[in-house]
Amino acid sequence: MPDEDDLQDIVADEIEDEARGVPRRADISKRPKVKDDLLDIFRKVEEGFRDQWNRSNDNQDYWDIYNCALTSKQFYVGNSKIFVPIVHNAVNARKTRFTNQIFPQAGRYVEVTSTDGTRPDALASLLEHYVRKAKLRTKVMPALCKAGDIEGQYNVYVSWCKRKRHVTWRAAVTPEMAEGMPNPAMQPIIDIRHEEIEAAHPEVEVIADSDILVLPVTADDIDEALEEGGSVTILRRWTKAKIDQMIDDGAIRADAGKELKDRLQKKVAPEDVNTAKTLADAAGIKGVQGARHALVYETFTKLKIKGERLLCQAFYGGEQRILGARRNPLWSDRVPLLSVPVEKVGGIFKGRSKVADCADLQYGANDAVNLAWDSAGYSMLPIVMTDPERNPRIGTMIMSMAAVWETSPKDTQVVSFPQLWQHGFEMVSACKAEVSQTLAVSPAAITQGTPTAQRGKTNQAQVAQEQQVDILNTADSVTVLEEGILTPMLTLFVELDHQHRDQDITIRSFGEMGLRASMETIPPVQMDRRYQFRWFGVEAARSAQQIQQGIAAMNVIRGIPPQQLGGYQINLVPIITQLTENTFGPRLAPLIFVKPEETLPVPAQQENMLLAEGFEVPTHPMDDDQSHIQMHAVLMQQIQMSGEGRNLKKIQTHIFKHMQQAQAKQQAQMQQQQAMQQQGQPGIPGGQIGGQQQPGVAGSPRIGAQPGQPRMQGPAGLIPPDQLRDPSMFPRRVG
């Protein structure tokens, strides 16, 4: 059930709608002024789609390059039909690298900041749950990375998804006793039950760039376009089932939806074709008979209603047919479309494709490999040159095993076709290196500096520098996704959850960093008031790459004398928990640290209640083992007298753990007494000399130390590695 704050938000929203007289679900498409404005907007939208037709065609060519499809762009037409997947491999390499950077192995992707300074871990766990439900890691992000490189624009549409399932299960039920007829056995029976379960979560859809139009095209972002009187349009392809669903949701009118379905079923003559509208993806009925669909414009724009400009959602079915219009159905009044260019181009909304700079190189590599392959086929076949006047029996010169040619060897010569395929493969390798450098794929393998042939072998410093460049390039690319797509997506997730979910949900909660995971019930949250959201996956991956530097910095901080802190106190808990989680991941990190409240002892009576219910109860070091053993023994006697021996073994095991713990405490006390007697004696590690604790405690690194590689052990007289020389290189000149 909604809490008090959520009920106030709902009531305020309803009051606001009633005051304006425009409920969000009310259709406004039949109002004369609204209809005229929408028809004018849709006319501009159709013109805008025609203007970006060349861009859509280019994107289709780039997709053909990625899909390794030979097209008419190739110059050479021969026997071989080979496509070298240079761009395909480069785009896949970028997709893998970006996805792994955005979704680090630590498994924590969301950071939530509250206005009161507290850490809303439950809300962060809710967003982590929705990230998994929306399948961002496996379904959305790989497709989005590929689409961005090929089309030059990242486009996603966020909506709320509801799906119902009718489940059946077996349940053990105790039969009710009839009046006056007691049933001493009371044996449970198996009953078959049925229930309808509804699963709801955010859904993220990757949309092609050719299906997105933002007017004016000179706007920097969607909000600026809407404020300037423009529009945001998504081209939709609807079937009859989808039309029925939109009618049920109230997005389009029932009469307009029925007319649209009738047009889908109508037979169209071959000559009934509008040539002007086939030049672009204009709204209307498309496809062949039997597999037809409706192209519908879903447009977001601001319309003037009762003296106020409100953000509205409208649907257009072509030929002056407005299917429906209403206020923005989202309570947050945001556009559910998130669109950002891969690389910003000044003065235009959409970006330029990364593949555009590599298309000609890919075509050239295909021509070169097909030429080389044809040349390789020719070079494997011998060429026989003979004089037909001196060799009239050419027909007997048969290529066969142990063949006899009846001709003079002086008049016949066998030659081979030149080995031109080697040069073709060298050209392909050159194109591959240039494409890899253009798309910034693995600078450690394809160097960005001087070619290897000119500078000789690369040393360790050069490889480390190239790897650092690789990290910087990846971080720069994924930052666009983080700020333009992922962080606004998290905000939409919370706003959709606030609007559509009115019941508590139980999800897996990681709790604070490094602490134990648990199951937590999360009520509906407030919207855009107390919390700020940020995609933390990129930052987590960056910090994971700096684990060694973090260890060194922590050791330096630990060694700062208290008199130099100016009254400040050092709290290393956040550093340790973050370092542990980045190193070991969210599975092991919660098992390493325990909350202080979990370290408090549990009374013996409460342990008896849990043991009687069959729970596993651990022992606590601060327990009074003897008193606990006595009370647990009483519980065991009571269970034995009742005749129920279900949890008897667990109680016995718990008593045995107390006995072991009491024995361990006694041994530890004896060892402590011995250590106190030996304290201060020379030669004992960690002892005190002159009343001060000496360094060198086992397991404690030196202050400021940084982990390094172990030294190589070898036989006596081994030449150090830094003094070795490569025999293939000329020795350096001394002096």
Side-chain angles (χ1 to χ4, degrees), residues 518-595:
S518 61
M519 299 299 292
E520 187 166 354
T521 301
I522 300 176
V525 298
Q526 299 183 21
M527 177 176 57
D528 200 18
R529 290 188 179 181
R530 294 180 55 190
Y531 306 110
Q532 293 181 354
F533 311 97
R534 185 170 70 100
W535 187 268
F536 188 68
V538 176
E539 298 297 332
R542 291 175 184 170
S543 60
Q545 297 169 357
Q546 301 174 358
I547 289 178
Q548 291 187 352
Q549 288 80 358
I551 294 174
M554 184 181 65
N555 290 329
V556 172
I557 294 174
R558 185 174 59 90
I560 299 177
Q563 59 271 19
Q564 296 182 4
L565 296 177
Y568 285 93
Q569 294 183 356
I570 297 177
N571 181 18
L572 297 179
V573 174
I575 301 177
I576 296 173
T577 53
Q578 179 68 47
L579 181 64
T580 304
E581 185 160 323
N582 289 340
T583 305
F584 300 103
R587 295 183 181 272
L588 295 180
L591 304 178
I592 298 175
F593 296 98
V594 182
K595 293 181 179 180

Side-chain angles (χ1 to χ4, degrees), residues 18 26 40 78 92 113 192 212 217 221 272 281 304 320 352 360 383 434 450 455 464 513 597 619 641 729:
E18 292 179 359
D40 182 64
N92 281 344
T113 305
I192 304 298
I212 301 295
V217 296
D221 52 32
D272 187 10
D281 288 332
K304 194 170 185 179
Q320 306 293 315
R352 189 168 179 268
D360 293 337
I383 301 174
E434 191 66 28
T450 307
R455 67 177 183 181
M513 279 191 182
E597 56 267 22
T619 59
M641 293 177 59
M729 298 181 62

Side-chain angles (χ1 to χ4, degrees), residues 613-628:
E613 296 294 334
F615 290 98
E616 296 285 347
V617 180
T619 59
H620 195 276
M622 297 179 62
D623 288 340
D624 187 355
D625 296 307
Q626 298 301 329
S627 62
H628 276 246

Side-chain angles (χ1 to χ4, degrees), residues 379-418:
S379 63
M380 297 176 65
L381 300 176
I383 301 174
V384 180
M385 296 184 297
T386 183
D387 188 356
E389 295 182 355
R390 298 184 179 182
N391 182 20
R393 309 187 66 176
I394 299 177
T396 61
M397 299 174 63
I398 301 173
M399 295 294 297
S400 179
M401 297 296 295
V404 178
W405 291 358
E406 299 179 358
T407 181
S408 173
K410 299 180 180 180
D411 301 332
T412 304
Q413 184 180 1
V414 179
V415 298
S416 299
F417 198 82

Side-chain angles (χ1 to χ4, degrees), residues 88-101:
H88 176 89
N89 296 337
V91 172
N92 281 344
R94 289 170 56 89
K95 173 205 68 176
T96 303
R97 188 173 60 187
F98 294 169
T99 304
N100 290 331
Q101 180 85 359

